[in-house]
Amino acid sequence: YQMSAYQRLNDFEGVLRAGHRALDLQPGTVNTLLTLAAAIPDGAAGRTDEADLLRQAEEHAHHALEGIATMQIPRHVSLREWEKMQAELVAQAHEALGHVATKRGQVPQAITELELAACGSPAPNGTYFFRLGVAYGLAGEAEPARKALHRASELGPEAIRQRAVSAIEQ
């Protein structure tokens, strides 16, 4: 909860501290791993330890995928619900891996990971498609970029909608 609170405050250092403390107490907690994997790529930009932080984010996403594969279905959750929950967690991990790859300039890998996130999510959000559109744009693939950005603008939320519309216009 503390990590999420720091995230809402845009306090990157707080997110890192709280997340690592949470992992010290409960190693392998999928939600913590996914939150860190998603938060680190943007917070690491321009820092002297950026490469190390991106490595950590990648490791967190891979550990999350390992944890998701071995998670047991809670008794109160139907198999159908569990499959949806599991697919969304996997999509979040792939989005984080795609974001890391984009930050590293590994555009083909970013596209692969972001396609897995966007297409694998049972309820995709605009962020998946926005990041995918940006990666396609970096690869010089205008039509797939336009399609992904258009889908991002349809899905939202509003901040993503605005960024996607702006990117389409450019």
Side-chain angles (χ1 to χ4, degrees):
Y1 291 117
Q2 187 179 43
M3 181 178 57
S4 296
Y6 279 123
Q7 195 171 30
R8 284 189 296 277
L9 293 170
N10 286 330
D11 182 344
F12 179 65
E13 292 299 328
V15 170
L16 287 179
R17 275 192 316 275
H20 289 124
R21 203 171 17 216
L23 289 176
D24 286 344
L25 295 171
Q26 293 184 308
T29 304
V30 170
N31 287 331
T32 303
L33 290 166
L34 289 174
T35 300
L36 285 170
I40 289 172
D42 282 332
R47 292 174 48 131
T48 58
D49 59 347
E50 181 176 7
D52 184 52
L53 287 169
L54 290 175
R55 182 192 51 74
Q56 286 178 32
E58 183 178 36
E59 287 175 4
H60 291 325
H62 283 295
H63 286 124
L65 286 170
E66 291 167 7
I68 294 164
T70 61
M71 287 175 88
Q72 297 207 352
I73 303 171
R75 291 180 190 247
H76 66 281
V77 176
S78 71
L79 181 59
R80 184 179 203 137
E81 275 183 89
W82 171 247
E83 288 171 346
K84 283 183 179 180
M85 290 169 57
Q86 190 178 36
E88 186 56 41
L89 293 171
V90 168
Q92 289 174 25
H94 285 294
E95 180 194 18
L97 290 168
H99 196 183
V100 168
T102 301
K103 293 289 184 177
R104 289 177 171 158
Q106 300 167 334
V107 178
Q109 181 182 348
I111 289 171
T112 299
E113 293 293 348
L114 293 166
E115 283 177 342
L116 287 169
C119 297
S121 173
N125 63 55
T127 305
Y128 295 164
F129 284 94
F130 179 77
R131 292 190 197 286
L132 180 58
V134 169
Y136 276 132
L138 291 170
E141 298 183 36
E143 187 57 24
R146 188 192 62 73
K147 286 180 180 178
L149 291 168
H150 180 71
R151 184 72 174 130
S153 72
E154 291 174 346
L155 293 171
E158 188 59 32
I160 291 297
R161 183 175 292 115
Q162 290 173 4
R163 291 177 69 190
V165 168
S166 175
I168 291 169
E169 290 171 355
Q170 292 175 358

